[in-house]
């Protein structure tokens, strides 16, 4: 890393506005990831706070060999791992076999692997839109929060924090294959949750227009879908 | 050629461009021919975009205040000790007078 990080420079200059923004952006997700290692939300909160203090303490010595974000989350994971060991817990990011394996409900496919229940289009899915009495983004946050711990941690690091696969993998201590599976299942669960939510929404027709596909063009050349329903 | 079900399982890798050339070409070919799978990939991409836009949950005001104090140069303020969990501090008799006072100090 050769280019100076403007945020790092502001933090080293003790810019409180920059620090506050950093904390507000990442603290909740740090707690969420710590929760994947330790036994309770309260302990995860302590771990996240402890990590922030270590970040403050270590900033002057940060050499920029990784990005600031990677460094912060690596500190968090180390703190969480240490705390988990003290609790006698072994964080498990490999237990993917216990999760539902299918990305889409198996009933959504015909036996030959073609779509039986067609996906619907999401047009103009405005994050501010009110769905079931709340903004869509509040639902997305809840869906993210409700993921199994390992899936949530990977989705947070990859999609919310935007970490590179190798960095996220190293921070969480998961294999490349496991990370890919966890990420895909986590995203799929959120997508499925949104599908269910939009299906219940009274004005779904504005954004989730059902598509009628009379003839399925597919490799297997089999008959078209049994029906067209949401989820 | 891949089935729709197989494509849904590879859709994430396709989005992330983490798919090997052979499988990637098969997915692209399938998507070129299959509108439902294109819709699925679009939904998955939209899901990723929405997750990216989720608002981070800030710490509670007391915690934020204590972290800010710890951030300030040592000459201006004494940060809490690293070994002591911050959540335990409000139980300390010295700091139990009022959380409002602590916030005001920020």
């Amino acid at each position: 890393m050769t280019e100076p990080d403007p945020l790092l420079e502001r933090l080293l200059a003790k810019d409180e506005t920059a620090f506050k923004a950093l904390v507000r952006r990442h603290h909740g997700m740090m707690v969420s990831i710590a929760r994947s290692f330790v036994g309770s939300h309260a302990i995860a909160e302590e771990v996240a706070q402890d990590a922030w203090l270590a970040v403050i303490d270590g900033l002057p010595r940060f050499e920029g060999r990784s990005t600031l974000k990677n460094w912060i989350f690596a500190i968090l994971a180390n703190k969480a791992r240490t705390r988990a060991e003290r609790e006698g817990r072994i964080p498990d990011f490999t237990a993917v076999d216990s999760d539902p394996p299918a990305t889409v409900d198996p009933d959504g496919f015909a036996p030959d692997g073609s779509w039986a229940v067609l996906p619907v289009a999401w047009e103009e899915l405005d994050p501010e839109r009110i769905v079931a009495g709340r903004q869509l983004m509040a639902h997305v946050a809840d869906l993210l929060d409700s993921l199994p711990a390992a899936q949530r941690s990977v989705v947070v690091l990859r999609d919310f924090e935007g970490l590179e696969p190798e960095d996220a993998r190293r921070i969480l201590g998961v294999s490349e294959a496991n990370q890919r599976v966890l990420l895909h299942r986590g995203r799929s669960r959120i997508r499925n949750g949104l599908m269910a939510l939009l299906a219940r929404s009274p004005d779904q027709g504005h954004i989730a227009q059902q598509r009628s596909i009379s003839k399925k063009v597919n490799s297997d050349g089999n008959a078209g879908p049994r029906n067209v329903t949401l989820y | 050629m891949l089935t729709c079900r197989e494509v849904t399982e590879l859709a994430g890798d396709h989005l992330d461009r983490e798919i090997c050339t052979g499988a990637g070409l098969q997915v692209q070919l399938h998507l070129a021919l299959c509108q439902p799978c294109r819709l699925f990939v679009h939904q998955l991409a939209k899901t990723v975009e929405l997750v990216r836009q989720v608002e981070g949950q800030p710490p509670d005001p007391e915690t934020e205040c204590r972290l800010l104090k710890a951030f300030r140069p040592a000459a201006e303020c004494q940060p809490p000790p690293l070994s002591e969990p911050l959540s335990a501090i409000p139980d300390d008799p010295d700091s139990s007078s009022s959380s409002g006072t602590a916030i005001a100090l920020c």
Side-chain angles (χ1 to χ4, degrees):
Chain A
M1 189 172 181
T2 52
E3 289 181 22
D5 181 345
L7 175 59
L8 176 62
E9 289 180 352
R10 287 177 67 189
L11 293 171
L12 288 172
K14 291 292 175 185
D15 181 335
E16 288 190 18
T17 306
F19 180 70
K20 192 190 286 187
L22 186 74
V23 170
R24 288 186 173 184
R25 168 73 182 167
H26 301 292
H27 183 79
M29 294 307 179
M30 288 170 68
V31 174
S32 178
I33 286 175
R35 181 71 185 85
S36 305
F37 291 82
V38 301
S40 74
H41 182 86
I43 295 174
E45 176 72 36
E46 285 179 17
V47 168
Q49 292 179 22
D50 204 24
W52 280 121
L53 295 179
V55 166
I56 293 167
D57 192 47
L59 265 175
R61 297 184 300 280
F62 176 62
E63 295 174 348
R65 282 185 294 196
S66 66
T67 66
L68 184 62
K69 205 189 292 184
N70 285 352
W71 179 67
I72 291 172
F73 277 94
I75 288 174
L76 174 83
N78 285 339
K79 295 270 177 199
R81 212 169 268 122
T82 302
R83 187 62 181 257
E85 282 170 11
R86 217 191 307 162
E87 290 181 322
R89 292 173 60 89
I90 302 172
D92 186 3
F93 288 95
T94 60
V96 292
D97 290 342
S98 61
D99 300 331
T103 296
V104 179
D105 184 345
D107 290 340
F109 292 105
D112 62 10
S114 62
W115 289 98
V117 181
L118 293 180
V120 294
W122 288 354
E123 307 290 352
E124 299 171 21
L125 204 54
D126 179 1
E128 304 285 313
R129 181 164 174 260
I130 303 298
V131 181
R134 305 163 68 205
Q135 278 193 346
L136 180 65
M137 287 312 293
H139 291 290
V140 176
D142 280 354
L143 287 166
L144 176 61
D145 198 47
S146 66
L147 292 179
Q151 292 179 20
R152 189 181 64 236
S153 292
V154 173
V155 173
V156 164
L157 285 186
R158 291 290 305 280
D159 290 345
F160 178 82
E161 298 290 355
L163 264 57
E164 294 297 322
E166 178 58 24
D167 295 326
R169 190 194 70 72
R170 201 172 50 243
I171 285 169
L172 295 176
V174 296
S175 71
E176 184 185 347
N178 263 337
Q179 180 187 214
R180 287 164 70 171
V181 172
L182 289 166
L183 179 64
H184 190 51
R185 290 185 183 171
R187 286 172 174 172
S188 297
R189 276 194 181 211
I190 297 173
R191 175 258 177 194
N192 293 347
L194 287 171
M195 287 283 288
L197 192 68
L198 294 169
R200 292 202 306 269
S201 177
D203 58 344
Q204 54 156 315
H206 293 301
I207 61 160
Q209 181 186 1
Q210 291 195 354
R211 297 292 176 103
S212 172
I213 300 175
S214 57
K215 185 180 178 185
K216 185 106 188 300
V217 183
N218 198 4
S219 58
D220 46 52
N222 281 302
R226 291 196 301 264
N227 50 22
V228 181
T229 56
L230 278 163
Y231 208 79
Chain B
M1 193 147 162
L2 297 172
T3 66
C4 297
R5 189 170 188 168
E6 288 168 334
V7 168
T8 62
E9 293 297 331
L10 292 170
D13 291 343
H14 167 74
L15 279 180
D16 296 332
R17 293 178 171 76
E18 284 181 48
I19 197 164
C20 67
T21 310
L25 285 173
Q26 287 193 60
V27 170
Q28 283 178 22
L29 180 61
H30 183 108
L31 290 176
L33 298 172
C34 182
Q35 187 191 29
C37 283
R38 285 202 300 277
L39 283 178
F40 177 83
V41 169
H42 175 262
Q43 289 176 349
L44 207 58
K46 188 72 187 177
T47 300
V48 173
E49 185 188 324
L50 288 171
V51 168
R52 193 168 293 134
Q53 294 175 51
V54 165
E55 199 167 318
Q57 188 71 34
D60 65 64
E62 261 187 49
T63 300
E64 183 176 283
C65 179
R66 291 179 197 286
L67 291 175
L68 274 172
K69 281 186 187 173
F71 179 72
R72 282 174 192 145
E76 292 180 24
C77 145
Q78 189 63 43
L82 279 174
S83 58
E84 189 173 349
L86 291 177
S87 58
I89 292 176
D91 296 328
D92 186 304
D94 293 333
S95 62
S96 63
S97 54
S98 164
S99 59
T101 306
I103 292 167
L105 287 173
C106 292

